[in-house]
Amino acid sequence: MNAPFIERARALVGRMSLTEKLRMLAGRGGLHAALPFTYHLLRYNAPGNRRLGIPGIRFTDGPSGVVMGRSVCFPSPIGRGASFDPDLEEAVGRALGQRAQELGANTLGAVCVNLVRHPAGGRSQESFGAEPFHVGRMGAALTRGISRHAMAVVKHFALNSMENARFTVDVRADERTLREVFLPHFKACVDAGASGVMTAYNRVNGRHCDLNAELVQKILKDDWGFSGFVISDFLLGVHATAASLNAGLDLEMPQAFFFSLPALLTSLAAGAISRNRVDEAAARLVGQQVRMGLVGKPRERRTRPPVSDEHRNLARLSAQKSIVLLKNENNRLPIRPGQGMKIAVFGNAARRGCGGSLGSVAVRPPYWVTPLEGLRRKGQGATIVFCPEGGRYLQKARRLAVEADVCLVFAGIAPRDEGEYFPFLGGGDRKTLALPQTQQRLIEEIARAGGKAAVVLSGGSAVCKGPWADCADAVLMTWYAGMEGGNAIADVLFGNVNPGGKLPLTFPHSDGELFPFDPGAKQVQYDYHHDYRYYDHKGFSPWYAFGHGLSYTEFSYANLKLNERSIRPDGALDFSLSLANTGKRAGDEVVQVYVGLENSRVSPRSKKELKAFQRVTLTPGEERELSFRIPAQSLAVYDPARKSWFAEEMEYSLLAGSSSADIRLRAMFSIAR
């Protein structure tokens, strides 16, 4: 901890009594976190020091929006990950940080970067996807944005990709897998200026995360040089007093149990913890408040202003950019509504607000725009009729399918069927990636009665293919699109917005295509390969690959040019390519650059890995040269024996394309001394 703000923090801590320091290490009055119904009522406070002008931690939650009060609900992070737009994500972060500040919080736990290891994981919606590099870039952007107004907390450290067994599961991973696959995105957020890192509930290699000195003290603080504070997950995230503090935990939230004043004083008297460790923990907490300009700042009166038009518009733009067009045969989309057209809308999801998990991260916006409302607002004189799903409505559905000019079926996963798990209330890990049988039957019956339909999917993770998929000309994935989701979906369906989102995880043909997932597992091994790396390793193709996403226009790739063919291990590869819009309307393309590692002598190793991407908007006929840089160290391998990283000296392939399975351009380069 060498940053200038740390020196001032240490000076402030040096002026405190022992009791004042110890009181800073745990939350106060936070038991409303125990129930999902009360979690959102108030912020969560940890003491500061009024005498020295230190406000203390004022925490609130929210990957999709600030959970206190009435706040903008943005698309779920998995949807924002589908935008592949770090600049837009940074703007979302600024909005989240600003709203947290307006509601009296100075700390926001909105940066969730746990990889989607298996798409059945119940809280997949809270992360940006399954690819470490992509998640790291999006998480870093969100961190930078939040940090303009509040202290950004990154969570959950680490290997927290299962929901039902999150309190009991022991996640095992060897050191290479841990450092190369499941931690780089956390480091990206730390490097972007995260103030706090929240530990996870689960065990990692036999030890709970708050007790895991290898994870928290060694990797996070020592190896990465993290100067912020480490905060526990709420209520059940701490398992000891001295052992947790000595492992690197700085703050127990939301209430003092193991870090209560008597418990800490007892540990100090027994020599189980040192005064130096207490001073360090207090300095980390104070240091971030100094860094953010909070120390000595007069207390501001909270006004709780209404949600701004700027943030509403940002929510709509984010939703528009998150939508992924998976399939569009016969140019079924976009729909061109007009007077006299009859559009039949099917499925309960059409009348549901586009929010996600019902647990601690649920947002209460001032309003929801449902897809049905959005369609009716944008319908331009078309007649729009609605039919729910379910067996008793099938006869009505068949009749409407025959009568309608266009059939839209809204299907997918309901918030109660995934998300944060609460016994008797729902949520949790999914048992299958298949659509509910009622929805599958509805799509098939509509196809039989009146021709193929456009299917609009919602949900927080992947859906697998079924017979229904062949009954649809078009399939659109909208995730949980937020409070403006209905407007954004209508914008895309009616062609006012050209979809440009890309899948941030792979969609399989079936559940059996993936490795087993046991929501009740007591112990699980996290292997080196998952998502598209797993498919490459196994040598077979998914339904829709990572990075897949269509447009209402077409793009061509050309002229891949490398500045040099050989770079040093401490150098970087600079290159460019040309992208052209060859269609008839403006649109966005996400250019993805993978590096092929097929020549590696290290095992295990991925066949290829994403190492760069750009989202680009082009008008019809426009061509643009795009520049990229890939540092050699981003290709490095971790050597557990030497406890160090090295860039393997060999020949690599450079692969540019529209998805992990749609490679358009190839070249070779090498790393050599």
Side-chain angles (χ1 to χ4, degrees), residues 521-554:
K522 300 299 182 185
Q523 185 179 110
V524 61
Q525 184 74 35
Y526 277 23
D527 296 327
Y528 196 84
H529 304 291
H530 76 281
D531 204 76
Y532 72 87
R533 305 181 188 198
Y534 175 79
Y535 281 87
D536 286 349
H537 178 64
K538 291 293 186 179
F540 51 80
S541 300
W543 181 30
Y544 290 118
F546 175 90
H548 171 77
L550 304 177
S551 171
Y552 296 153
T553 190
E554 300 291 334

Side-chain angles (χ1 to χ4, degrees), residues 228-245:
F229 55 85
V230 179
I231 176 176
S232 75
D233 206 342
F234 279 27
L235 292 173
L236 300 176
V238 183
H239 298 85
T241 303
S244 291
L245 194 66

Side-chain angles (χ1 to χ4, degrees), residues 368-436:
W368 294 104
V369 179
T370 69
L372 189 58
E373 289 170 338
L375 290 168
R376 285 175 171 160
R377 291 178 185 181
K378 291 279 185 180
Q380 298 179 11
T383 300
I384 297 175
V385 294
F386 173 75
C387 178
E389 65 196 56
R392 61 179 173 152
Y393 297 107
L394 279 179
Q395 186 173 350
K396 178 183 178 182
R398 294 188 198 101
R399 188 187 76 248
L400 288 178
V402 171
E403 298 171 352
D405 299 297
V406 177
C407 294
L408 296 174
V409 183
F410 285 78
I413 312 304
R416 67 178 180 275
D417 297 323
E418 59 182 343
E420 190 168 8
Y421 175 66
F422 294 97
F424 311 112
L425 297 178
D429 300 313
R430 290 160 63 189
K431 296 181 176 64
T432 177
L433 301 181
L435 289 181

Side-chain angles (χ1 to χ4, degrees), residues 24 41 93 198 229 248 274 289 347 380 408 460 577 650 665:
M24 294 182 68
L41 295 178
M198 179 181 284
F229 55 85
S274 68
Q289 296 173 68
Q380 298 179 11
L408 296 174
L577 61 85
M650 66 176 192
L665 302 172

Side-chain angles (χ1 to χ4, degrees), residues 42-43 68 100-105 300-305:
L42 302 166
R43 70 189 184 202
M68 288 195 303
Q101 186 182 61
E102 290 172 350
L103 297 179
E300 297 179 359
R301 184 171 177 268
R302 283 179 286 159
T303 58
R304 293 181 178 264

